[in-house]
Amino acid sequence: MASSTVRNVHGKRSSFQSEFTGNGASKRRNLHDETDRNVIGSEDTVYRYLCPVKKTGSIIGKGGEIAKQIRSETKSNMRINEALPGCEERVVTIYSTSDELNHFGDDGEIVCPALDALFKVHDMIVAEVDEDDDDDLGDKQTVTVRMLVPSDQIGCVIGNGGQVIQNLRNETNAQIRVIKDNLPACALTLSHDELLQIIGEPLIVREALYQVASLLHDNPSRFQHSLLSSQSTLMHQPSTISRRNHAARRDLADATEFCVCFICPAENVGGVIGKGGGFINQIRQETGATIRVTTSESEEDDSIIFISSKEFYEDQSPTVNAAIRLQERCSEKVGKDTNDSTISTRLLVSSSNIGCLIGKGGAVISEMRSVTRANIRILQKENVPNIAREDEEMVQITGNPDAAMKALTQVILRLRANAFDMNHGLVLLPTSFPYISQVSGSSNKPKYAKRDGSKDQDYGRLNLNSKRRNHVS
């Protein structure tokens, strides 16, 4: 039996023991090099806290300032997953050495950096005023904490026969549950995530969270080294997009415009628009994105599908949502066999932004290729079609529909983080979104002619009235 003594928020030791022996990690020696901030060591302490999408701004701050401050003050590492369509929560992954280095609470107890950061995040989220929950002011305030825990680690919270979790309930008076079904879309299949939920009054929940966090600290998961890996594939769950426009409460003048520009084969345009504009209008309505279809002077040349929206970084992105749903209809089939499922997706990206997709020494594009198993190329000059501007380069993604979607997701989320001037180390990029793929038109077109001598323009402020971009929808 591996005993695990748990401390409470008042610095006292609780009386029960964990009988969990799932991973045999009773004695811990941390081997993690803190200079490698993109790797979770096998002996590190890791927490994955679910933050409501509408409260993410309270822990990110403008340009990531608050998140950077938390990392600096606690000496821990923190990553925040991109918001997934149809998912009301974002995963905040907090990790550090398991060594207890930080002073915590009024009693000056020493805890590991990750636990210290966990409570800074928790306190900020709880303190955030939620206008939707202020209806019953006479009732006692109730707080809900939700965390993702790998299946091989959750046993330390449950205990043999549920003894540990029952003792936790009795000691703290909190409602503590482990949920295995109907998990949120942000749960990972690789680590067989389960959902830990704590409900109660704020101080009660804080006490229970501390005791649970201490148990997780003492019993690391054998899967945790892969939790930051982009190869951890998100659960695919068909979902309808539930949009909640929190931007209305803020000044839209502070929002940032984010754009994606597809190159679409001319013969695919009809499928993008749909009969009587039905399909494109449906995507506009469901995502909230602005979508324009523009053509070149020749009807046989490629067209442009321009997607944009004014966004706040902490919200789900209408542009990203729309781009993922339109991808297949904007792509062309490649290969001699018309039954071949390989597709090619092309995007135009400003030369000033292309660096965020390449990385130092090509590290970023190499990683995206490895993670998604798609062929990702960046083409310049004579390899870019006529419809491009002089200051634009083309990103070409080739692969089966699933690989191409994962690659597009990686590309546009990196472009979005770059548009918001975010620290890429702060944002954990998923490999895919839980979408049902759309039927696409097919095309087998020849390679591109040389680009024309158009004037330089900023991609972020694309001029849709350009002579070579005639608006048709």
Side-chain angles (χ1 to χ4, degrees), residues 349-364:
V349 177
S350 168
S351 299
S352 61
N353 296 328
I354 204 73
C356 73
L357 302 179
I358 299 174
K360 188 175 181 180
V364 171

Side-chain angles (χ1 to χ4, degrees), residues 154 173 231 461 467:
I154 196 66
N173 292 318
Q231 297 185 51
R461 300 179 180 274
K467 290 183 180 179

Side-chain angles (χ1 to χ4, degrees), residues 270-402:
V272 172
I273 296 173
K275 187 175 181 179
F279 183 75
I280 197 170
N281 287 333
Q282 178 185 349
I283 301 301
R284 287 167 175 157
Q285 182 178 1
E286 292 181 355
T287 66
T290 297
I291 307 172
R292 292 188 175 92
V293 180
T294 60
T295 62
S296 64
E297 294 177 355
S298 170
E299 293 183 358
E300 296 181 356
D301 288 341
D302 295 316
S303 298
I304 292 291
I305 310 298
F306 182 79
I307 308 167
S308 67
S309 60
K310 289 219 166 202
E311 307 178 2
F312 293 93
Y313 187 77
E314 60 268 22
D315 293 346
Q316 292 183 6
S317 168
T319 295
V320 173
N321 293 351
I324 297 296
R325 299 188 68 180
L326 286 170
Q327 179 184 14
E328 283 200 46
R329 294 192 181 221
C330 294
S331 300
E332 58 183 340
K333 286 190 175 182
V334 298
K336 297 180 180 179
D337 185 359
T338 56
N339 294 322
D340 190 346
S341 62
T342 301
I343 64 173
S344 176
T345 304
R346 298 169 295 159
L347 298 91
L348 292 177
V349 177
S350 168
S351 299
S352 61
N353 296 328
I354 204 73
C356 73
L357 302 179
I358 299 174
K360 188 175 181 180
V364 171
I365 195 169
S366 295
E367 179 189 1
M368 291 193 294
R369 289 167 178 158
S370 174
V371 164
T372 65
R373 299 184 181 277
N375 182 11
I376 306 173
R377 300 174 62 201
I378 296 176
L379 304 177
Q380 302 171 325
K381 298 181 180 178
E382 68 273 3
N383 294 316
V384 179
N386 283 342
I387 204 164
R389 291 183 165 82
E390 282 296 326
D391 67 342
E392 290 174 329
E393 301 179 24
M394 185 174 75
V395 177
Q396 184 175 45
I397 299 168
T398 307
N400 64 55
D402 182 63

Side-chain angles (χ1 to χ4, degrees), residues 37 66-77 102:
R37 304 178 73 86
I66 295 176
K68 292 173 187 176
Q69 182 179 357
I70 294 173
R71 289 165 57 173
S72 175
E73 289 180 356
T74 64
K75 308 301 181 186
S76 65
N77 301 310
N102 293 20

